[in-house]
Amino acid sequence: MKTSGHVMKINDQITLGGERPVLFAGPCAVESLDICLEIGSKVKAWAAEHGFDYVFKASFDKANRTSSGSFRSIGMNKSLQVLEQVGKELSVPLVTDIHESYQAEEVGAVVDVLQIPAFLCRQTDLILAAAKTGKSVKIKRGQFMAPEDMQYAVKKVRAEGNDNVCLTERGYSLGYHNLVVDMRSLPTMRQFAPVVFDITHSVQQPGGQGGTSGGQRFFAPYLARAAAATGIDGFFIETHPNPSKALSDGPNLIPLDRMGDFLEMLKESWSLGRKYQDIQV
């Protein structure tokens, strides 16, 4: 099983699948410019200190909500303006989700990576629209998808002449309100494209708090170390200065003041994994 060799270029600045791990990190949603700048500036510094290339992440719209009463967005235009300003002030690439095909062009004019949410990973028109922008496309594996079947999502992007595509692991549905990560999915999907591990949503409990999602943040370091030890290409982490007051996915978020130590731990496990990644039995 060949599990390496694929790369994804991000705006000609970063190579996912290269010699350095790539960190996609930020708040779950765009809440305000101040919070995004606070998180982005601190995470950028820690990423540089610990040897990660950094892409700032925040969703301009949380369309996949359990309840219609949950926070979704401060507005598409305002959120995109915030993202654009963060990118300029911090000199970092940007990633955000799109949920509808018509959003691809407008959002792609602002960000460097278009993320396809897990629930939408089979939506052909959405994937093709993202691919046609020429921007990098980051596809999350659906909680219901076999890892080997994600090769077809990759092929949809490449069929449009866009080779800059990666896959993201975020756990499988196991019963109700629970996810479990099968680490075999990481080398399996890495046959087809670079692979990112979504630490935050792998500890999520979808709909687990009666209309909102819960989470088991306690398990994040364990899953992160295990995934890093496989030698994958990047990591996705959502963080916030005060997770209990975050407007979205608070129970899963890594507290911002712990991110420096978290990245140090992650890099050590990743370096060990890369050292032995080519060993076959």
Side-chain angles (χ1 to χ4, degrees):
M1 180 187 293
K2 184 180 179 182
T3 61
S4 62
H6 298 288
V7 298
M8 181 180 85
K9 297 286 187 179
I10 302 174
N11 200 24
D12 294 325
Q13 299 178 40
I14 292 173
T15 300
L16 180 69
E19 297 300 316
R20 287 164 58 92
V22 177
L23 174 67
F24 301 84
C28 180
V30 175
E31 297 182 8
S32 69
L33 176 61
D34 288 345
I35 286 179
C36 286
L37 287 174
E38 177 186 359
I39 294 172
S41 60
K42 290 181 178 179
V43 174
K44 179 185 177 182
W46 284 319
E49 178 183 351
H50 296 296
F52 291 84
D53 289 325
Y54 178 50
V55 180
F56 178 83
K57 181 273 166 185
S59 296
F60 75 87
D61 179 22
K62 303 302 296 183
N64 295 330
R65 299 288 83 186
T66 303
S67 167
S68 61
S70 297
F71 171 79
R72 280 190 57 170
S73 174
I74 60 173
M76 181 174 181
N77 291 336
K78 188 174 181 180
S79 292
L80 291 179
Q81 289 171 3
V82 168
L83 286 171
E84 187 171 26
Q85 191 165 346
V86 170
K88 289 179 179 178
E89 290 196 24
L90 300 183
S91 297
V92 294
L94 305 167
V95 59
T96 196
D97 315 79
I98 57 171
H99 300 86
E100 304 282 353
S101 300
Y102 73 84
Q103 296 172 341
E105 186 174 355
E106 183 175 357
V107 177
V110 174
V111 306
D112 306 279
V113 183
L114 294 171
Q115 180 168 275
I116 307 298
F119 287 132
L120 303 178
C121 70
R122 289 171 57 104
Q123 296 297 102
T124 299
D125 289 344
L126 180 63
I127 292 174
L128 296 183
K132 288 175 182 177
T133 66
K135 295 301 177 80
S136 302
V137 181
K138 180 177 179 290
I139 307 173
K140 288 194 173 185
R141 186 193 60 75
Q143 299 92 323
F144 44 85
M145 289 286 289
E148 58 269 23
D149 289 344
M150 291 305 295
Q151 65 181 294
Y152 304 110
V154 171
K155 289 177 179 178
K156 291 175 185 179
V157 177
R158 291 179 178 154
E160 294 298 324
N162 187 340
D163 291 327
N164 291 315
V165 56
C166 72
L167 296 171
T168 299
E169 171 59 42
R170 50 91 24 95
Y172 296 78
S173 294
L174 181 67
Y176 301 120
H177 307 313
N178 195 38
L179 298 171
V180 65
V181 179
D182 180 355
M183 293 295 168
R184 295 176 299 178
S185 69
L186 301 175
T188 298
M189 293 196 300
R190 205 159 174 249
Q191 296 176 94
F192 317 123
V195 168
V196 174
F197 182 61
D198 181 345
I199 297 167
T200 299
H201 293 97
S202 293
V203 299
Q204 187 184 57
Q205 294 178 306
Q209 290 188 342
T212 61
S213 291
Q216 296 175 307
R217 186 186 301 127
F218 170 82
F219 290 115
Y222 298 96
L223 293 179
R225 289 196 297 268
T230 69
I232 55 170
D233 306 292
F235 303 91
F236 179 100
I237 306 174
E238 291 178 344
T239 181
H240 195 278
N242 189 344
S244 65
K245 293 187 177 181
L247 299 182
S248 179
D249 277 359
N252 316 306
L253 306 183
I254 304 299
L256 183 60
D257 62 3
R258 301 304 309 275
M259 278 291 288
D261 291 339
F262 199 95
L263 293 180
E264 181 180 7
M265 170 201 72
L266 200 58
K267 182 61 182 301
E268 287 189 14
S269 295
W270 181 87
S271 296
L272 186 63
R274 273 299 172 99
K275 180 179 179 180
Y276 295 111
Q277 69 172 338
D278 293 326
I279 290 180
Q280 301 291 324
V281 296

